[in-house]
Amino acid sequence: MFRKVLAGILFFSCLTTVSLAQDKTIDQIVAVVGSNIILKSDIESMYIQQQAQGIVSDGDMKCEILEDFLVEKLLLAEAELDTNIIVSDSQINQSLDQRMQYFVQHLGSEQAVEAYFKKPLSQIKADLEEVIRNQSMTSQMQGKIVDKVQVTPSEVRYHFRNMKKEDIPMVEPMVEYAQITVFPPIELEEENRIKARLREFKERVENGDNFATLAVLYSEGPSAVNGGELGYMGRAQLDANYATAAFNLKGDRVSNVVKSEFGYHIIQLIDRRGDQVNTRHILLKPKANIEAMEEAKNRLDSLANFIRKEEVTFAEAAMRYSFDKNSRNSGGKVINPQTMSTKWRQQELDPDVSKVLANLKVNEISEPFKTIDDKQRTVYKIVKLVDRTEQHRANLQEDYQLLTELYLQEKQEEAMNQWISAQQAKTYISIDRTYANCNFKFKGWEK
């Protein structure tokens, strides 16, 4: 519980610090934990944030917010004494860049960010630095408390067998599926047309046209609305070919045409910070003609028939013929990136895939269908429904991993609660009288 609560507090405290860093306003200190203070504005700002999100409480929400902040400051006070907890300047700068990128993406531009917070970017960053440092220290401290907590298979079984029936969690319907993906072949003439068009755009920029304007008008990537700007990214976050070209750029020069998994690009460097670059690009995607689309569909149709006749297994066909490198090495089984398992909830599935799977029986193979892959490319697929589980109460046979995770979370929360209770007794804590009637979960705040 506290891991989620603190994550929320720490995120919104960034917004609070930036937007309400006191200039002329005299604020009130409502609590002190060790050498760290909690301001009335911290609580009021969080209260407004939670109301805006529709969060409700059966108790006194401001008291609950104060207790969450007290736990955060307790962690921070201990982290400041731990010489093994270190936050480097490079970590802060990386987090700072990510936060600023988040603000720019959601507010539209750097100018809009300055207007929203009513201060220049340099001041916004200065306000955020201490918050990011404290957040990292608190997170490390929390991890240190719970990381040694483990559960054994025998503990999981014992815990499950002693649960009341009504306490056993319900498991949502899940599916597992495998796929074989084929790209319609692109004619060389089409690829040459796309590259020539991009070379034309490069020439226009070199002759004075604005790159961002051309990106808005012509780029086929999702960043087109932002003038093709991607924000600060490291090499690992970018396609390998794109990264090579981007990191070799100097000044505001435009790259030659670059081929990636997404299509063809020209790239312009905006800024470089350490091992990250901010670039803008124009992306064009070669299109397969009607004959190529039909060829891909027929190829998959034939492959599906071979599998149904058991001339080849689905797993073997996926390894030999599927274009999707993420699933072909696992025999076509598709991994859910949110959970890193092969199980999918219906709402997590691609809508096209979900619609097809809904009409399949276990081990049945679909007809070929056209869809868009994770790189936003047109592809043809066949899918096989590997397994389907209906909604049910968790059991050890089907849901051992889920029960293990839930019990581990329970033990981690117990460890966290024990640490808080022990730490309260040896930490200086002072809370303003206006919160004397709060019904705190932990009784050790008042001394």
Side-chain angles (χ1 to χ4, degrees):
M1 179 191 76
F2 277 106
R3 187 180 293 272
K4 293 180 180 178
V5 169
L6 288 175
I9 287 177
L10 292 167
F11 173 76
F12 286 117
S13 67
C14 287
L15 294 176
T16 301
T17 301
V18 174
S19 57
L20 294 179
Q22 283 71 36
D23 296 322
K24 298 180 181 179
T25 306
I26 299 175
D27 207 347
Q28 177 187 349
I29 296 174
V30 297
V32 179
V33 181
S35 60
N36 297 290
I37 64 172
I38 300 169
L39 300 174
K40 184 175 182 180
S41 63
D42 295 334
I43 296 171
E44 295 297 330
S45 299
M46 181 63 68
Y47 180 71
I48 292 169
Q49 292 277 1
Q50 293 193 356
Q51 283 188 318
Q53 295 176 83
I55 296 173
V56 296
S57 171
D58 294 331
D60 187 325
M61 187 180 288
K62 290 186 180 180
C63 287
E64 292 172 1
I65 291 170
L66 172 59
E67 184 163 34
D68 290 338
F69 273 119
L70 287 167
V71 172
E72 176 203 341
K73 300 304 182 185
L74 201 64
L75 286 162
L76 182 58
E78 185 66 14
E80 289 171 338
L81 299 174
D82 192 327
T83 56
N84 292 319
I85 293 180
I86 300 170
V87 185
S88 67
D89 289 341
S90 63
Q91 287 176 301
I92 293 175
N93 291 334
Q94 185 174 356
S95 294
L96 191 58
D97 288 342
Q98 291 171 348
R99 299 289 167 84
M100 295 307 299
Q101 184 180 335
Y102 174 87
F103 292 150
V104 170
Q105 286 176 346
H106 282 74
L107 296 176
S109 67
E110 291 185 350
Q111 292 75 18
V113 173
E114 291 181 325
Y116 181 84
F117 292 118
K118 299 178 181 177
K119 56 185 69 177
L121 288 178
S122 58
Q123 185 59 51
I124 296 172
K125 291 178 181 179
D127 291 341
L128 275 175
E129 281 186 12
E130 183 180 358
V131 176
I132 291 171
R133 184 183 297 277
N134 290 347
Q135 175 178 344
S136 180
M137 293 180 70
T138 302
S139 178
Q140 289 182 60
M141 190 68 237
Q142 190 176 4
K144 199 168 183 180
I145 295 165
V146 302
D147 278 352
K148 292 183 179 179
V149 177
Q150 296 180 339
V151 294
T152 65
S154 59
E155 284 181 314
V156 175
R157 289 192 295 269
Y158 180 83
H159 177 71
F160 175 75
R161 287 166 183 158
N162 285 276
M163 291 176 75
K164 295 178 181 178
K165 183 177 179 180
E166 60 269 24
D167 293 335
I168 297 175
M170 294 297 295
V171 179
E172 296 181 62
M174 295 275 195
V175 297
E176 294 181 73
Y177 76 99
Q179 68 180 17
I180 298 174
T181 297
V182 171
F183 295 132
I186 306 295
E187 290 189 345
L188 181 60
E189 182 181 348
E190 169 68 359
E191 296 202 21
N192 289 336
R193 183 188 70 82
I194 290 292
K195 289 188 279 188
R197 186 80 167 124
L198 286 169
R199 284 193 288 267
E200 176 192 331
F201 291 148
K202 176 181 179 178
E203 186 176 345
R204 287 174 61 176
V205 173
E206 291 171 344
N207 288 332
D209 281 9
N210 184 275
F211 192 111
T213 301
L214 292 176
V216 170
L217 293 173
Y218 301 109
S219 181
E220 296 175 355
S223 65
V225 293
N226 297 321
E229 184 171 349
L230 294 180
Y232 288 93
M233 293 186 179
R235 286 182 180 273
Q237 296 170 276
L238 297 165
D239 173 271
N241 291 338
Y242 187 104
T244 298
F247 278 87
N248 284 332
L249 286 172
K250 295 178 181 177
D252 61 353
R253 296 190 63 181
V254 179
S255 73
N256 292 325
V257 177
V258 177
K259 184 178 183 179
S260 79
E261 289 186 305
F262 298 88
Y264 289 92
H265 318 248
I266 54 171
I267 307 165
Q268 185 178 53
L269 178 67
I270 299 173
D271 188 27
R272 185 195 298 265
R273 291 183 183 172
D275 57 357
Q276 291 188 318
V277 291
N278 185 11
T279 58
R280 60 171 60 96
H281 71 129
I282 298 174
L283 168 66
L284 296 182
K285 303 176 183 181
K287 310 297 189 296
N289 59 34
I290 295 174
E291 291 79 11
M293 301 285 279
E294 195 65 24
E295 178 186 334
K297 181 180 178 181
N298 291 338
R299 182 181 179 189
L300 269 181
D301 190 42
S302 298
L303 190 57
N305 285 328
F306 284 134
I307 298 169
R308 294 187 189 106
K309 293 176 183 177
E310 299 184 354
E311 295 180 20
V312 64
T313 67
F314 195 99
E316 290 170 342
M319 292 182 71
R320 291 182 194 173
Y321 306 113
S322 182
F323 282 63
D324 180 42
K325 62 183 181 182
N326 293 324
S327 61
R328 67 186 176 209
N329 291 330
S330 58
K333 280 193 176 182
V334 184
I335 302 297
N336 184 337
Q338 297 183 39
T339 62
M340 300 311 294
S341 78
T342 56
K343 295 186 177 182
W344 296 75
R345 297 178 180 85
Q346 182 176 352
Q347 62 268 27
E348 295 170 335
L349 291 165
D350 174 87
D352 291 338
V353 172
S354 177
K355 185 168 61 176
V356 172
L357 290 175
N359 297 316
L360 294 180
K361 298 176 183 178
V362 173
N363 291 324
E364 189 176 4
I365 299 168
S366 75
E367 298 297 325
F369 62 97
K370 186 169 71 171
T371 186
I372 303 296
D373 73 354
D374 59 344
K375 304 292 191 301
Q376 299 301 303
R377 299 170 296 191
T378 299
V379 298
Y380 273 94
K381 285 184 182 182
I382 54 172
V383 294
K384 174 185 176 181
L385 180 60
V386 175
D387 193 21
R388 176 184 281 121
T389 55
E390 302 301 333
Q391 184 175 10
H392 62 280
R393 287 201 181 274
N395 61 73
L396 286 170
Q397 289 70 39
E398 297 177 288
D399 311 298
Y400 174 79
Q401 188 59 40
L402 170 65
L403 292 168
T404 300
E405 290 170 1
L406 291 175
Y407 185 43
L408 178 61
Q409 289 174 11
E410 186 178 317
K411 285 192 71 175
Q412 287 177 333
E413 185 172 341
E414 287 176 7
M416 190 73 199
N417 292 346
Q418 291 170 6
W419 183 88
I420 291 169
S421 297
Q423 207 66 20
Q424 286 173 319
K426 57 183 181 180
T427 304
Y428 172 76
I429 301 170
S430 174
I431 301 176
D432 190 85
R433 286 187 188 179
T434 55
Y435 293 90
N437 294 324
C438 284
N439 184 24
F440 292 128
K441 174 183 175 180
F442 298 97
K443 304 305 178 185
W445 300 119
E446 300 287 350
K447 298 184 179 179

